[in-house]
Amino acid sequence: MPRVLDIIAGTTVDGPGLRTSIYFAGCHHRCPGCHNTQSWNFNNGTELTDNEIMKVVETNGFNVTFSGGDPMAQADSLIHLAEMIKSAGYTIWCYTGYKFEEIISDPTKFRLLELTDVLVDGKFCVELRDISLRFRGSSNQRLIDVNSSIRCGRIVLWDDGI
């Protein structure tokens, strides 16, 4: 079962439109300047079943963002949840400190990636912090259109036309 720190419904900072953001516990990256250091500990938060999380998602009716911590650090426990979310017709954004190139070489992380619509990848870098960027904290982080990237065999950046 995934360990959840919090679920925030109706947020607009973790992707386009109103979203239900699920903050998962645990992060190996421990980026200097991280705004969510309490999320580093894998024992923080509460274990919730996929059905409990889905009930919150469906009650709110918003697309979903996986954040944390680092959701890819517990990818094995999120795959079934992601399948449920996708089957219900919602999109998934996922924030991770791992790079896309690292994720595709790990079968478990890659399976979660395949269920993700947009990946925000790369560690937060305080030296590259830029508050003018949409949906990310530092300029090294990329907003990756996952389906297009997998189909094309190269990184395709997400573009919302703005």
Side-chain angles (χ1 to χ4, degrees), residues 48-139:
L48 295 177
T49 67
D50 295 341
N51 288 333
E52 289 171 318
I53 297 169
M54 270 310 293
K55 184 174 181 179
V56 175
V57 168
E58 290 178 327
T59 296
N60 294 303
F62 304 130
N63 288 317
V64 176
T65 297
F66 288 176
S67 192
D70 191 330
M72 285 292 171
Q74 55 174 312
D76 57 338
S77 66
L78 299 183
I79 291 169
H80 182 254
L81 173 62
E83 290 171 342
M84 292 172 70
I85 290 167
K86 295 298 288 185
S87 291
Y90 299 102
T91 66
I92 298 175
W93 275 45
C94 182
Y95 283 78
T96 183
Y98 294 99
K99 302 284 280 184
F100 183 90
E101 295 82 356
E102 295 173 284
I103 294 168
I104 61 173
S105 67
D106 179 304
T108 303
K109 289 180 178 66
F110 183 70
R111 179 63 190 129
L112 182 57
L113 179 71
E114 290 178 307
L115 296 162
T116 301
D117 295 281
V118 174
L119 182 77
V120 183
D121 82 334
K123 297 176 186 177
F124 172 74
C125 183
V126 71
E127 298 85 15
L128 300 175
R129 181 177 182 261
D130 184 344
I131 61 170
S132 71
L133 296 171
R134 291 184 75 209
F135 309 130
R136 60 199 188 276
S138 58
S139 61

Side-chain angles (χ1 to χ4, degrees), residues 6-27:
D6 203 358
I7 301 176
I8 306 291
T11 182
T12 59
V13 297
D14 295 326
L18 294 173
R19 306 189 71 79
T20 296
S21 288
I22 307 167
Y23 297 88
F24 296 99
C27 184

